[in-house]
Amino acid sequence: MNTPRRAWFHALAFAAVLFLLQAGGDGVRTALRFSRQALGQGEWWRLLSGHVVHLGWTHTLLNIAGVLLCCALAPWLFNSRVWFRIVALALGVGMLLWWLSPGVSLYVGFSGVLYGLLVLGLLPQARHGDGLSALALLATVLWMAWQWLAGPSSAEEKLIGGHIIGIAHIYGFTLGLIGAVSALMWRRRVESH
């Protein structure tokens, strides 16, 4: 059973990982970021590790705030399996960036994975009539669509210290949606037997 205390433990533990990696500075970021050139030389860990390093402190703190907001909105998601979910989403987003977005040569940040976590956590709750979850999910979709169609704002990019790779948000959201729908179908199948 996942208690609120356990949910917050997992969320804060992950937030601490992001914070400590940022404290490692430029050397850590360079060693772990998604780099198409380094991946081409066999450094495959970067498909995963690029999501836990950031452009700077503002970028890191915004993503930590996103993790904590996600925990507040969907605490059930932050059980011991949240680590598996994070790894699966990060690898998925990393592989999609590698395969489908050849123009992305460098990438850092947790936001793509965060979009996936949000849909994984909010969609089941919205489906069960939680109005706040439905509203938060709608806001997430609208923000993602706005960034994709209108492009990221220069003020936002200035705030985080670099370019926003909006396609990573779409990849993460899509993977989260696939995961949420698959879980729903699995539950229905189990319950029907």
Side-chain angles (χ1 to χ4, degrees), residues 76 120 124 177-189:
W76 70 269
L120 274 174
L177 183 62
I178 290 168
V181 170
S182 297
L184 172 64
M185 292 171 60
W186 176 260
R187 271 189 231 109
R188 282 186 180 170
R189 182 176 175 196

Side-chain angles (χ1 to χ4, degrees), residues 33 85 128 146 159 181 186:
R33 70 184 174 195
R85 292 177 182 116
H128 287 100
W146 173 259
L159 177 68
V181 170
W186 176 260

